[in-house]
Coordinates of all heavy atoms in Angstrom, one line a residue:
Chain A
A447 N -12.3 2.2 -42.0 CA -12.9 3.3 -41.2 C -14.1 3.9 -41.8 O -14.1 4.2 -43.0 CB -11.8 4.4 -41.0
D448 N -15.1 4.1 -41.0 CA -16.3 4.7 -41.4 C -16.4 6.1 -40.8 O -17.0 7.0 -41.4 CB -17.4 3.9 -40.9 CG -18.7 4.0 -41.7 OD1 -18.5 4.1 -42.9 OD2 -19.8 4.1 -41.1
S449 N -15.9 6.3 -39.6 CA -15.8 7.6 -39.0 C -14.6 7.7 -38.1 O -14.1 6.7 -37.7 CB -17.1 7.9 -38.2 OG -16.9 7.5 -36.9
M450 N -14.1 8.9 -37.9 CA -13.0 9.1 -37.1 C -13.2 10.4 -36.3 O -13.5 11.5 -36.9 CB -11.7 9.3 -38.0 CG -10.4 9.6 -37.2 SD -9.0 9.6 -38.3 CE -9.2 11.2 -39.1
V451 N -13.1 10.3 -35.0 CA -13.2 11.5 -34.1 C -11.8 11.7 -33.5 O -11.2 10.7 -32.9 CB -14.2 11.2 -33.0 CG1 -14.3 12.4 -32.1 CG2 -15.6 10.9 -33.6
V452 N -11.3 12.9 -33.6 CA -10.0 13.2 -32.9 C -10.4 13.6 -31.5 O -11.0 14.6 -31.2 CB -9.3 14.4 -33.6 CG1 -8.0 14.7 -32.8 CG2 -9.0 14.0 -35.0
L453 N -10.0 12.7 -30.5 CA -10.4 12.9 -29.1 C -9.4 13.9 -28.5 O -9.7 14.6 -27.6 CB -10.4 11.6 -28.3 CG -11.4 10.6 -28.8 CD1 -11.2 9.2 -28.1 CD2 -12.8 11.1 -28.5
N454 N -8.2 13.9 -29.0 CA -7.2 14.9 -28.6 C -6.0 14.8 -29.5 O -5.6 13.8 -30.0 CB -6.7 14.5 -27.1 CG -6.4 15.8 -26.3 OD1 -6.3 16.9 -26.8 ND2 -6.4 15.6 -25.0
H455 N -5.4 16.0 -29.8 CA -4.2 16.0 -30.6 C -3.0 15.9 -29.7 O -3.1 16.0 -28.5 CB -4.1 17.4 -31.4 CG -4.9 17.3 -32.7 ND1 -4.5 16.5 -33.7 CD2 -6.0 18.0 -33.1 CE1 -5.3 16.7 -34.7 NE2 -6.3 17.6 -34.4
S456 N -1.9 15.5 -30.3 CA -0.6 15.5 -29.6 C 0.4 16.3 -30.2 O 0.5 16.3 -31.5 CB -0.1 14.0 -29.5 OG 1.1 14.0 -28.9
A457 N 1.1 17.1 -29.4 CA 2.3 17.7 -29.9 C 3.4 16.6 -30.3 O 3.2 15.5 -29.9 CB 2.9 18.7 -28.9
T458 N 4.4 17.0 -31.0 CA 5.4 16.0 -31.3 C 6.2 15.7 -30.0 O 6.7 16.5 -29.4 CB 6.4 16.6 -32.3 OG1 5.7 17.0 -33.4 CG2 7.4 15.5 -32.7
P459 N 6.2 14.4 -29.6 CA 6.9 14.0 -28.4 C 8.4 14.3 -28.5 O 9.0 14.3 -29.5 CB 6.7 12.5 -28.3 CG 5.5 12.2 -29.2 CD 5.6 13.2 -30.3
P460 N 9.0 14.7 -27.3 CA 10.4 15.1 -27.3 C 11.3 13.9 -27.5 O 12.5 14.1 -27.7 CB 10.6 15.6 -25.9 CG 9.4 15.1 -25.1 CD 8.3 14.8 -26.0
F461 N 10.8 12.7 -27.6 CA 11.7 11.5 -27.9 C 10.7 10.4 -28.5 O 9.5 10.5 -28.4 CB 12.4 11.0 -26.7 CG 11.6 10.8 -25.5 CD1 10.8 9.7 -25.3 CD2 11.6 11.8 -24.5 CE1 10.0 9.5 -24.2 CE2 10.8 11.6 -23.3 CZ 10.0 10.5 -23.2
T462 N 11.3 9.5 -29.1 CA 10.5 8.4 -29.8 C 9.9 7.5 -28.8 O 10.6 7.1 -27.8 CB 11.3 7.6 -30.8 OG1 12.5 7.1 -30.2 CG2 11.8 8.5 -32.0
I463 N 8.7 7.1 -29.0 CA 8.0 6.2 -28.1 C 8.0 4.8 -28.7 O 7.1 4.4 -29.4 CB 6.6 6.8 -27.8 CG1 6.8 8.1 -27.1 CG2 5.8 5.8 -26.9 CD1 5.5 8.9 -26.8
E464 N 9.1 4.1 -28.6 CA 9.4 2.8 -29.2 C 10.0 1.9 -28.1 O 10.3 2.4 -27.0 CB 10.4 3.0 -30.4 CG 10.0 4.0 -31.4 CD 9.0 3.5 -32.5 OE1 8.7 2.3 -32.4 OE2 8.6 4.3 -33.3
E465 N 10.4 0.7 -28.5 CA 11.1 -0.2 -27.7 C 12.3 0.5 -27.1 O 12.5 0.5 -25.9 CB 11.5 -1.5 -28.4 CG 10.5 -2.5 -28.5 CD 10.2 -3.3 -27.2 OE1 11.1 -3.5 -26.4 OE2 9.0 -3.6 -27.0
E466 N 13.1 1.0 -28.0 CA 14.3 1.8 -27.6 C 14.0 3.2 -27.9 O 13.7 3.6 -29.0 CB 15.6 1.3 -28.4 CG 15.9 -0.1 -28.2 CD 16.6 -0.3 -26.8 OE1 17.2 0.6 -26.3 OE2 16.6 -1.5 -26.3
S467 N 14.2 4.1 -26.9 CA 13.9 5.5 -27.2 C 15.2 6.3 -27.5 O 16.3 5.8 -27.1 CB 13.3 6.2 -26.0 OG 13.1 7.6 -26.2
D468 N 15.1 7.4 -28.2 CA 16.3 8.2 -28.5 C 16.4 9.3 -27.4 O 17.3 10.1 -27.5 CB 16.2 8.8 -29.9 CG 15.0 9.7 -30.1 OD1 14.1 9.7 -29.1 OD2 14.8 10.3 -31.1
G469 N 15.6 9.3 -26.4 CA 15.6 10.3 -25.4 C 16.7 10.0 -24.3 O 16.9 8.9 -23.9
G470 N 17.4 11.1 -23.9 CA 18.3 10.9 -22.8 C 17.6 10.7 -21.4 O 16.4 11.0 -21.4
D471 N 18.3 10.4 -20.4 CA 17.8 10.1 -19.1 C 16.9 11.2 -18.6 O 15.8 11.0 -18.1 CB 18.9 9.8 -18.1 CG 18.8 8.4 -17.6 OD1 18.2 7.5 -18.2 OD2 19.3 8.2 -16.4
D472 N 17.5 12.4 -18.6 CA 16.8 13.6 -17.9 C 15.6 13.9 -18.7 O 14.5 14.2 -18.0 CB 17.8 14.8 -17.9 CG 18.9 14.6 -17.0 OD1 18.8 13.7 -16.2 OD2 19.8 15.5 -17.0
L473 N 15.6 13.8 -20.0 CA 14.4 14.2 -20.8 C 13.3 13.2 -20.5 O 12.1 13.5 -20.3 CB 14.8 14.2 -22.2 CG 13.9 15.0 -23.2 CD1 14.0 16.4 -22.8 CD2 14.4 14.8 -24.6
R474 N 13.7 11.9 -20.4 CA 12.7 10.9 -20.2 C 12.1 10.9 -18.8 O 11.0 10.6 -18.5 CB 13.3 9.5 -20.5 CG 13.5 9.3 -22.0 CD 13.8 7.9 -22.4 NE 15.1 7.4 -21.9 CZ 15.3 6.5 -21.0 NH1 14.2 5.8 -20.6 NH2 16.5 6.2 -20.6
M475 N 12.9 11.4 -17.8 CA 12.4 11.6 -16.5 C 11.5 12.7 -16.4 O 10.5 12.7 -15.7 CB 13.6 11.8 -15.5 CG 14.4 10.6 -15.2 SD 13.6 9.4 -14.1 CE 14.1 10.0 -12.5
K476 N 11.8 13.8 -17.1 CA 10.9 15.0 -17.1 C 9.6 14.7 -17.7 O 8.5 15.1 -17.3 CB 11.6 16.1 -17.9 CG 10.7 17.4 -17.9 CD 11.5 18.6 -18.2 CE 10.4 19.7 -18.3 NZ 10.9 21.0 -18.8
Y477 N 9.6 13.9 -18.8 CA 8.3 13.5 -19.5 C 8.1 12.1 -19.2 O 7.8 11.3 -20.1 CB 8.5 13.7 -21.0 CG 8.7 15.2 -21.4 CD1 9.9 15.7 -21.6 CD2 7.5 16.0 -21.7 CE1 10.1 17.1 -21.9 CE2 7.7 17.3 -22.0 CZ 9.0 17.8 -22.2 OH 9.1 19.1 -22.5
R478 N 8.1 11.8 -17.9 CA 7.9 10.4 -17.5 C 6.6 9.8 -18.1 O 6.5 8.6 -18.4 CB 7.9 10.3 -16.0 CG 7.8 8.9 -15.4 CD 9.1 8.1 -15.7 NE 9.1 6.8 -15.0 CZ 10.1 5.9 -15.2 NH1 11.2 6.2 -15.9 NH2 10.0 4.8 -14.6
Y479 N 5.5 10.6 -18.2 CA 4.3 10.1 -18.7 C 4.3 9.7 -20.1 O 3.5 8.8 -20.5 CB 3.1 11.2 -18.5 CG 3.5 12.6 -18.9 CD1 3.4 13.0 -20.2 CD2 4.0 13.5 -18.0 CE1 3.7 14.2 -20.6 CE2 4.4 14.8 -18.4 CZ 4.2 15.1 -19.7 OH 4.6 16.4 -20.1
L480 N 5.3 10.2 -20.9 CA 5.5 9.7 -22.2 C 6.4 8.5 -22.2 O 6.2 7.5 -22.9 CB 6.1 10.8 -23.1 CG 5.2 12.0 -23.3 CD1 5.9 13.1 -24.2 CD2 3.9 11.6 -23.9
D481 N 7.5 8.5 -21.4 CA 8.3 7.3 -21.3 C 7.6 6.1 -20.9 O 7.8 5.0 -21.4 CB 9.5 7.6 -20.3 CG 10.7 6.8 -20.6 OD1 10.9 6.4 -21.8 OD2 11.5 6.6 -19.7
L482 N 6.6 6.3 -20.0 CA 5.8 5.2 -19.5 C 4.9 4.5 -20.6 O 4.4 3.5 -20.4 CB 4.8 5.6 -18.4 CG 5.5 5.8 -17.0 CD1 4.5 6.5 -16.0 CD2 6.0 4.5 -16.4
R483 N 4.8 5.3 -21.8 CA 4.1 4.7 -22.9 C 4.9 3.6 -23.6 O 4.4 2.8 -24.3 CB 3.7 5.7 -23.9 CG 2.6 6.6 -23.5 CD 2.2 7.5 -24.7 NE 1.2 8.5 -24.2 CZ 0.8 9.6 -24.8 NH1 1.4 9.9 -26.0 NH2 0.0 10.4 -24.3
R484 N 6.2 3.6 -23.4 CA 7.1 2.7 -24.1 C 6.8 1.2 -23.7 O 6.7 1.0 -22.5 CB 8.5 3.0 -24.0 CG 8.9 4.4 -24.7 CD 10.3 4.6 -24.9 NE 11.1 4.5 -23.7 CZ 12.0 3.5 -23.4 NH1 12.3 2.6 -24.3 NH2 12.6 3.5 -22.3
P485 N 6.8 0.3 -24.6 CA 6.5 -1.1 -24.2 C 7.4 -1.7 -23.1 O 6.9 -2.4 -22.2 CB 6.7 -1.9 -25.6 CG 6.5 -0.8 -26.6 CD 7.0 0.5 -26.1
P486 N 8.7 -1.4 -23.1 CA 9.5 -2.0 -22.0 C 9.0 -1.6 -20.6 O 8.9 -2.4 -19.7 CB 10.9 -1.5 -22.2 CG 11.0 -0.9 -23.5 CD 9.6 -0.6 -24.0
L487 N 8.6 -0.3 -20.5 CA 8.2 0.2 -19.2 C 6.8 -0.4 -18.8 O 6.5 -0.7 -17.7 CB 8.1 1.7 -19.1 CG 9.5 2.2 -18.7 CD1 10.4 2.5 -19.9 CD2 9.4 3.4 -17.8
R488 N 6.0 -0.5 -19.9 CA 4.6 -1.1 -19.6 C 4.8 -2.5 -19.2 O 4.1 -2.9 -18.2 CB 3.8 -1.0 -20.9 CG 2.3 -1.0 -20.6 CD 1.5 -0.5 -21.8 NE 1.6 -1.3 -22.9 CZ 1.8 -0.9 -24.2 NH1 1.9 0.4 -24.4 NH2 2.0 -1.7 -25.2
R489 N 5.7 -3.2 -19.8 CA 5.9 -4.6 -19.4 C 6.4 -4.7 -18.0 O 6.0 -5.6 -17.2 CB 6.9 -5.3 -20.3 CG 6.3 -5.6 -21.7 CD 7.2 -6.6 -22.5 NE 8.6 -6.0 -22.7 CZ 8.9 -5.4 -23.9 NH1 8.0 -5.2 -24.8 NH2 10.1 -4.9 -24.0
N490 N 7.3 -3.8 -17.6 CA 7.9 -3.8 -16.3 C 6.8 -3.6 -15.2 O 6.7 -4.2 -14.2 CB 8.9 -2.7 -16.1 CG 10.2 -3.0 -16.9 OD1 10.4 -4.1 -17.5 ND2 11.1 -2.0 -17.0
L491 N 6.0 -2.6 -15.4 CA 4.9 -2.2 -14.4 C 3.9 -3.4 -14.4 O 3.3 -3.6 -13.3 CB 4.3 -0.9 -14.7 CG 5.2 0.3 -14.5 CD1 4.4 1.6 -14.6 CD2 6.0 0.3 -13.2
E492 N 3.7 -4.0 -15.5 CA 2.7 -5.1 -15.5 C 3.3 -6.3 -14.8 O 2.6 -6.9 -13.9 CB 2.4 -5.5 -17.0 CG 1.3 -6.6 -17.0 CD 0.8 -6.9 -18.4 OE1 1.0 -6.0 -19.3 OE2 0.1 -7.9 -18.5
L493 N 4.6 -6.5 -15.0 CA 5.3 -7.6 -14.2 C 5.2 -7.3 -12.7 O 4.9 -8.2 -11.9 CB 6.7 -7.7 -14.7 CG 7.6 -8.7 -13.9 CD1 8.4 -9.5 -14.9 CD2 8.5 -8.1 -12.9
R494 N 5.5 -6.0 -12.4 CA 5.4 -5.6 -11.0 C 4.0 -5.9 -10.4 O 3.9 -6.5 -9.3 CB 5.7 -4.2 -10.9 CG 5.8 -3.6 -9.4 CD 6.1 -2.2 -9.4 NE 6.1 -1.7 -8.0 CZ 7.2 -1.3 -7.3 NH1 8.3 -1.3 -7.9 NH2 7.0 -0.9 -6.1
Y495 N 3.0 -5.6 -11.1 CA 1.7 -5.9 -10.6 C 1.5 -7.4 -10.4 O 0.9 -7.8 -9.4 CB 0.6 -5.3 -11.5 CG -0.8 -5.7 -11.1 CD1 -1.2 -5.5 -9.8 CD2 -1.6 -6.3 -12.0 CE1 -2.5 -5.9 -9.5 CE2 -2.9 -6.7 -11.7 CZ -3.3 -6.5 -10.4 OH -4.6 -6.9 -10.0
R496 N 1.9 -8.1 -11.4 CA 1.7 -9.6 -11.3 C 2.5 -10.2 -10.2 O 2.0 -11.2 -9.6 CB 2.0 -10.3 -12.7 CG 1.0 -9.9 -13.8 CD 1.1 -10.8 -15.0 NE 2.4 -10.6 -15.7 CZ 3.3 -11.6 -15.9 NH1 3.0 -12.8 -15.5 NH2 4.4 -11.3 -16.5
V497 N 3.7 -9.7 -9.9 CA 4.4 -10.2 -8.8 C 3.7 -9.9 -7.5 O 3.6 -10.8 -6.6 CB 5.9 -9.6 -8.7 CG1 6.6 -10.2 -7.5 CG2 6.6 -10.0 -10.0
S498 N 3.2 -8.7 -7.3 CA 2.5 -8.4 -6.1 C 1.3 -9.2 -5.9 O 0.9 -9.7 -4.8 CB 2.1 -6.9 -6.1 OG 1.0 -6.6 -6.9
R499 N 0.6 -9.5 -7.0 CA -0.6 -10.3 -7.0 C -0.3 -11.8 -6.6 O -0.9 -12.4 -5.8 CB -1.3 -10.3 -8.3 CG -2.7 -10.6 -8.3 CD -3.5 -10.3 -9.5 NE -4.4 -11.3 -9.7 CZ -5.5 -11.5 -8.9 NH1 -5.7 -10.7 -7.9 NH2 -6.3 -12.5 -9.1
A500 N 0.8 -12.3 -7.2 CA 1.2 -13.7 -6.9 C 1.6 -13.8 -5.4 O 1.2 -14.7 -4.7 CB 2.4 -14.1 -7.8
A501 N 2.3 -12.8 -4.9 CA 2.7 -12.8 -3.5 C 1.5 -12.8 -2.6 O 1.4 -13.5 -1.7 CB 3.7 -11.6 -3.2
R502 N 0.6 -11.9 -2.9 CA -0.6 -11.8 -2.1 C -1.4 -13.1 -2.1 O -1.9 -13.5 -1.1 CB -1.5 -10.6 -2.6 CG -1.1 -9.3 -2.1 CD -2.2 -8.2 -2.3 NE -1.9 -7.0 -1.6 CZ -1.2 -6.0 -2.1 NH1 -0.8 -6.0 -3.4 NH2 -1.0 -4.9 -1.4
E503 N -1.5 -13.7 -3.3 CA -2.3 -14.9 -3.3 C -1.7 -16.0 -2.5 O -2.3 -16.8 -1.8 CB -2.4 -15.4 -4.8 CG -3.6 -14.8 -5.5 CD -3.5 -15.1 -7.0 OE1 -2.7 -15.9 -7.5 OE2 -4.3 -14.4 -7.7
Y504 N -0.3 -16.1 -2.6 CA 0.4 -17.2 -1.9 C 0.2 -17.0 -0.4 O -0.1 -17.9 0.4 CB 1.8 -17.2 -2.3 CG 2.7 -18.2 -1.5 CD1 2.7 -19.5 -1.9 CD2 3.3 -17.8 -0.3 CE1 3.5 -20.5 -1.1 CE2 4.1 -18.7 0.4 CZ 4.1 -20.0 0.0 OH 4.8 -20.9 0.8
L505 N 0.4 -15.7 0.0 CA 0.4 -15.4 1.5 C -1.0 -15.6 2.0 O -1.2 -16.1 3.1 CB 1.0 -14.0 1.7 CG 2.5 -13.9 1.4 CD1 2.9 -12.4 1.4 CD2 3.3 -14.7 2.4
D506 N -2.0 -15.2 1.3 CA -3.4 -15.4 1.7 C -3.6 -16.9 1.9 O -4.2 -17.3 2.9 CB -4.3 -14.9 0.6 CG -5.8 -14.9 1.1 OD1 -6.2 -14.1 1.9 OD2 -6.5 -15.9 0.7
A507 N -3.2 -17.7 1.0 CA -3.4 -19.2 1.1 C -2.7 -19.8 2.3 O -3.1 -20.8 2.8 CB -3.0 -19.9 -0.2
Q508 N -1.6 -19.1 2.7 CA -0.9 -19.6 3.9 C -1.4 -19.0 5.2 O -0.8 -19.1 6.2 CB 0.6 -19.2 3.8 CG 1.3 -19.9 2.5 CD 1.4 -21.4 2.7 OE1 1.5 -21.9 3.8 NE2 1.4 -22.1 1.5
G509 N -2.5 -18.3 5.1 CA -3.2 -17.7 6.3 C -2.6 -16.4 6.8 O -2.9 -16.0 7.9
F510 N -1.9 -15.7 5.9 CA -1.4 -14.4 6.3 C -2.5 -13.3 6.1 O -3.3 -13.5 5.1 CB -0.2 -14.0 5.5 CG 1.1 -14.7 5.9 CD1 1.3 -16.0 5.5 CD2 2.0 -14.0 6.6 CE1 2.5 -16.6 5.8 CE2 3.2 -14.7 7.0 CZ 3.4 -16.0 6.6
F511 N -2.5 -12.3 6.9 CA -3.4 -11.2 6.8 C -2.6 -10.0 6.4 O -1.5 -9.8 7.0 CB -3.9 -10.8 8.2 CG -5.2 -11.4 8.7 CD1 -5.7 -12.5 8.0 CD2 -5.7 -11.0 9.9 CE1 -6.9 -13.1 8.5 CE2 -6.9 -11.6 10.4 CZ -7.4 -12.7 9.7
E512 N -3.1 -9.2 5.5 CA -2.4 -7.9 5.2 C -3.0 -6.9 6.2 O -4.2 -6.7 6.4 CB -2.6 -7.4 3.8 CG -1.8 -6.2 3.5 CD -1.6 -5.9 2.0 OE1 -2.3 -6.4 1.2 OE2 -0.6 -5.2 1.7
I513 N -2.1 -6.3 7.0 CA -2.5 -5.3 8.0 C -1.7 -4.0 7.7 O -0.5 -4.1 7.6 CB -2.4 -5.8 9.4 CG1 -3.2 -7.1 9.6 CG2 -2.7 -4.7 10.4 CD1 -3.0 -7.7 11.0
E514 N -2.4 -2.9 7.6 CA -1.7 -1.6 7.4 C -1.1 -1.0 8.7 O -1.8 -1.0 9.7 CB -2.6 -0.6 6.7 CG -3.1 -1.0 5.3 CD -4.2 -0.1 4.8 OE1 -3.9 1.1 4.7 OE2 -5.3 -0.5 4.6
T515 N 0.1 -0.6 8.6 CA 0.7 0.0 9.8 C 0.9 1.5 9.5 O 0.9 1.9 8.3 CB 2.1 -0.7 10.1 OG1 2.9 -0.7 8.9 CG2 1.9 -2.1 10.5
P516 N 1.1 2.3 10.5 CA 1.1 3.8 10.3 C 2.3 4.3 9.5 O 3.4 3.7 9.6 CB 1.0 4.4 11.7 CG 1.4 3.3 12.6 CD 1.1 2.0 11.9
F517 N 2.1 5.4 8.9 CA 3.2 6.1 8.2 C 3.8 7.3 9.0 O 4.9 7.7 8.8 CB 2.7 6.7 6.8 CG 2.8 5.6 5.8 CD1 1.8 4.6 5.8 CD2 3.7 5.6 4.8 CE1 1.8 3.6 4.8 CE2 3.7 4.6 3.8 CZ 2.8 3.6 3.8
L518 N 2.9 7.9 9.9 CA 3.4 9.0 10.7 C 3.7 8.4 12.1 O 2.8 8.2 12.9 CB 2.3 10.1 10.8 CG 1.9 10.7 9.4 CD1 0.7 11.6 9.6 CD2 3.1 11.5 8.9
I519 N 5.0 8.1 12.2 CA 5.4 7.5 13.5 C 6.4 8.3 14.2 O 6.5 9.5 14.0 CB 5.9 6.0 13.2 CG1 7.2 6.1 12.4 CG2 4.9 5.2 12.5 CD1 7.9 4.7 12.3

Side-chain angles (χ1 to χ4, degrees):
Chain A
D448 205 40
S449 87
M450 177 175 79
V451 178
V452 179
L453 298 171
N454 216 342
H455 274 295
S456 175
T458 305
F461 47 82
T462 55
I463 296 174
E464 309 273 359
E465 277 286 323
E466 298 284 336
S467 174
D468 58 355
D471 239 27
D472 288 352
L473 203 60
R474 290 192 294 116
M475 288 286 271
K476 180 165 178 191
Y477 295 92
R478 185 68 175 178
Y479 46 85
L480 295 180
D481 206 24
L482 284 171
R483 283 187 189 165
R484 293 197 303 116
L487 274 91
R488 202 162 64 225
R489 286 194 298 267
N490 291 351
L491 293 191
E492 185 169 346
L493 177 136
R494 185 181 174 110
Y495 172 55
R496 289 193 297 123
V497 177
S498 77
R499 204 169 140 67
R502 281 196 165 92
E503 271 170 13
Y504 176 86
L505 292 168
D506 185 79
Q508 300 291 331
F510 285 78
F511 273 6
E512 187 159 21
I513 301 178
E514 294 171 61
T515 54
F517 278 72
L518 296 173
I519 66 167

